[in-house]
Amino acid sequence: MRSRTFLLDASLDPRAFAAEVVRAGGDPKPLEEHGRVVAMTAVLDDESTARLERAPGVARVLSAPTPWPKIARRGPGARLVEITVGGAQKDRIVVGDDRPVIIAGPCAVESLEQLEACAKAIAGCGGRLLRGGAYKPRTSPYSFAGHGLTALRLLRQVADRHRMGVVTEVLDPRDVEAVALHADVLQIGARTMSDFALLRAVASVDKPVLLKRSPSATLDDWLHAAEHLANAGARQILLWERGVRGFDDAARNLVDIAAVPLLRMRTDLPVLVDPSHGVGVRRAVLPMAAAAIAAGADGVMVECHPDPGVSRSDGPQALLLSSLPRLFAQVEAIAQAVRPGLDAAAE
Ligand code: PEP
Ligand code: MN
């Protein structure tokens, strides 16, 4: 299986050709120029490619060998992910266009009051995605590991009140069903990036998946993990840089900003950055969020807390709620400066 790009003549009916590609087992992605479909990309085997290549109106076929054919970069315009959020209301949020998304919330859901205060502040800034941990992976087995199902219910209830979507981590394949029932986006954490049984379980529910990078994963390891998700049926995958292990403990991790443009060259998957776990120091979170957006990230995730001093996890990196307006304004302003034309310029 490889990613193939069929260059099409004006004489060819793109809809009929797309139907042929689907019959051959591919998921065709049209590329348009001035309103006309000029090419179509799909992952196909050699036999189907040879047959389609002979179709009248196909000018040429380009084939790029790639170890991750299902998530490989196909070209401009192919990298949008739509997230459907909300209980009854079903709003859509697009990730990958010129407006970066901001995902925010507490590290762990601790109480209704704590979550409500965060959601109110985030929604007040225009934030649409509320993130909070219900099942927390912790280094020590004696640390607070989240309120589980109770936290999932609180997330749904509070997010619905503010017309937001829920993003939360799933750690165990046995919890996938319950998490998918309450959340709009399922997070795979850094520690479980290569837990292939978990990836398969998450891919089996039709929800967007945020795949964090393990602190020791190369881009190649990370993209292979994303390909596992895609191969198991996940249709909406987002990558999430959260810092790799550095040599200096001044920062919790080393945020790999270079990963953002390097991933954009390799894959169509949107790329987000988590400066909170990346740097681990409250005062450095806004500057690193700015750097991520300036580098072309499709969004950022930050942790916040109404009273970080009493947070049960990750207090030192939690933003004060009063910092959120600045974060939102800064992301918007930087995106306006760098996003338009970014894809074309990168070609
Ligand atoms: C988190 O997002 O709360 C978390 C635990 O992060 P990571 O998996 O990146 O360590
Ligand atoms: Mn955290």
Side-chain angles (χ1 to χ4, degrees):
M1 299 284 268
R2 281 185 190 185
S3 172
R4 326 278 177 156
T5 301
F6 298 85
L7 304 184
L8 310 177
D9 286 344
S11 63
L12 188 135
D13 172 3
R15 269 189 304 193
F17 187 71
E20 285 295 320
V21 174
V22 170
R23 265 194 289 280
D27 174 20
K29 296 273 187 294
L31 302 176
E32 291 191 16
E33 219 172 71
H34 308 300
R36 178 172 92 73
V37 177
V38 293
M40 209 164 289
T41 300
V43 175
L44 292 166
D45 59 29
D46 292 344
E47 201 181 306
S48 310
T49 306
R51 188 163 42 77
L52 287 164
E53 190 172 8
R54 290 193 295 271
V58 173
R60 203 147 65 91
V61 184
L62 310 174
S63 95
T66 159
W68 42 79
K70 297 207 161 101
I71 60 161
R73 176 157 172 81
R74 295 159 206 244
R79 53 194 307 282
L80 301 183
V81 165
E82 271 193 8
I83 297 175
T84 306
V85 305
Q89 269 155 333
K90 300 282 177 246
D91 294 328
R92 284 187 309 177
I93 298 173
V94 175
V95 187
D97 64 5
D98 284 348
R99 299 207 59 196
V101 288
I102 299 181
I103 304 174
C107 179
V109 175
E110 295 169 1
S111 67
L112 173 62
E113 295 70 29
Q114 171 239 24
L115 190 62
E116 173 60 29
C118 290
K120 192 166 171 229
I122 300 160
C125 297
R128 311 285 317 283
L129 292 167
L130 177 65
R131 192 212 88 126
Y135 300 95
K136 298 298 305 173
R138 301 306 301 275
T139 303
S140 163
Y142 310 113
S143 301
F144 173 57
H147 286 308
L149 195 56
T150 309
L152 290 180
R153 293 191 179 124
L154 285 177
L155 279 164
R156 190 70 268 164
Q157 176 194 332
V158 171
D160 281 351
R161 185 156 46 237
H162 294 280
R163 215 171 158 164
M164 297 173 88
V166 170
V167 181
T168 196
E169 177 162 354
V170 56
L171 263 177
D172 186 322
R174 289 169 298 188
D175 296 326
V176 167
E177 214 179 306
V179 174
L181 197 65
H182 295 84
D184 301 293
V185 181
L186 275 56
Q187 170 182 336
I188 306 272
R191 292 165 180 79
T192 46
M193 182 200 87
S194 300
D195 178 341
F196 301 124
L198 178 64
L199 298 183
R200 281 193 297 275
V202 166
S204 71
V205 294
D206 197 14
K207 293 261 173 165
V209 187
L210 263 164
L211 180 66
K212 280 196 148 190
R213 178 186 192 173
S214 153
S216 58
T218 61
L219 296 191
D220 189 83
D221 297 333
W222 190 12
L223 287 164
H224 271 104
E227 184 75 11
H228 267 278
L229 275 172
N231 194 44
R235 292 184 304 141
Q236 296 165 292
I237 304 166
L238 304 114
L239 299 173
W240 198 351
E241 160 66 30
R242 48 77 77 202
V244 292
R245 222 182 260 290
F247 56 84
D248 186 346
D249 63 9
R252 186 173 179 185
N253 291 290
L254 197 60
V255 187
D256 184 6
I257 295 287
V260 175
L262 293 174
L263 286 170
R264 286 181 79 109
M265 289 157 58
R266 289 163 170 73
T267 176
D268 279 333
L269 304 182
V271 183
L272 286 82
V273 173
D274 166 2
S276 299
H277 294 88
V279 67
V281 178
R282 179 176 311 115
R283 287 182 64 169
V285 170
L286 258 65
M288 293 314 295
I293 299 299
D298 296 294
V300 291
M301 189 296 288
V302 296
E303 288 187 347
C304 57
H305 197 286
D307 186 359
V310 301
S311 178
R312 296 189 69 180
S313 57
D314 288 349
Q317 71 195 31
L319 290 179
L320 301 171
L321 302 184
S322 57
S323 301
L324 293 173
R326 185 174 171 91
L327 171 79
F328 277 75
Q330 165 192 291
V331 164
E332 182 75 33
I334 298 171
Q336 271 180 23
V338 301
R339 296 290 300 211
L342 184 68
D343 258 340
E347 286 308 305

